[in-house]
Amino acid sequence: MRVDDLDTPRVAPGAESGILRSLEAHGLTWDGPLVRQSHHVDLYRDALGELTEHCYACRCSRRDLRGSTAYPGTCRHLGLARQGNAIRVRVPATPIAFEDRIQGPYGENLAATTGDFVVWRRDGMASYQLAVVIDDDAMDINAVVRGADLLDNTPRQLYLLQRLGRPAPRYAHVPVVVEATGVKLSKHNAATAIDDRAAPHNLATVLGLLGFDPPWDRVDAMLDWARRRWDIAALPSEASIRGFTALA
């Protein structure tokens, strides 16, 4: 179990304990001790050191880049000091591709889609892209299952793994549940929180969305049923599942 607590200003008090309680209520347990991203800060710094020759400092703000899809390379040749600036990694104008276990083949030319991207924020903390690849490597993760809304992050992470000489895990991106308008259900969009008291109903609903037809039963019995019948090939391959309404 890993808690992503690196973005300290956005960590809500009590959120971690609430997440852990929800997992336990739904019969979802974990192996080994609880790990936090904040435990890996030294590993992130070491990784940044390994990337030094491929990186440069950038002073551009979000306002400066408003309207830009891919970073235009404004600071690439300025030789700015790293202190107080973000750090970007240079990307090649060649495709980074992989075979997703659910979504199939996917690739991007990072120079065209994102441009040189940030690996170290100006506030002195690792970016999500760098942190997640180091987290996975430190924890010997060889299979990543996450929402399809993160599919386009994967080429950037694969590029960092290549530069760092670290092995890449297998990826599987499952559809995310969205409202009829296409907006993803999330706390950011005021979606209703999971009700731990309705754990059997929640599990049956999710398994149904994933293409299975579980018998209504206790949480442990439904999970056992799902484990014995699990087939990743049966999962829907679209990026989202529509039809849910987020309640304010």
Side-chain angles (χ1 to χ4, degrees), residues 18-88:
I19 291 170
L20 298 180
R21 281 197 304 271
S22 287
L23 289 172
E24 291 172 334
H26 291 79
L28 303 173
T29 57
W30 51 92
D31 299 323
L34 186 69
V35 175
R36 295 179 175 83
Q37 279 189 323
S38 53
H39 295 167
H40 290 166
V41 172
D42 289 343
L43 296 179
Y44 304 149
R45 290 198 180 99
D46 291 344
L48 182 65
E50 294 179 52
L51 292 168
T52 294
E53 64 180 293
H54 306 294
C55 295
Y56 61 91
C58 174
R59 64 188 178 194
C60 296
S61 66
R62 290 186 179 181
R63 178 177 295 180
D64 295 332
L65 300 175
R66 187 175 297 162
S68 299
T69 302
Y71 180 69
T74 307
C75 298
R76 187 181 249 206
H77 303 295
L78 297 184
L80 300 173
R82 296 197 171 198
Q83 186 67 32
N85 288 314
I87 306 297
R88 292 182 181 270

Side-chain angles (χ1 to χ4, degrees), residues 33 56 151 222:
Y56 61 91
L151 181 66
M222 278 194 287

Side-chain angles (χ1 to χ4, degrees), residues 98-104 143 145 170-173 232-233:
F98 70 103
E99 183 75 22
D100 189 81
R101 298 177 66 197
I102 299 173
Q103 304 298 327
V145 180
R170 296 178 300 161
Y171 292 95
H173 288 81
I232 197 168

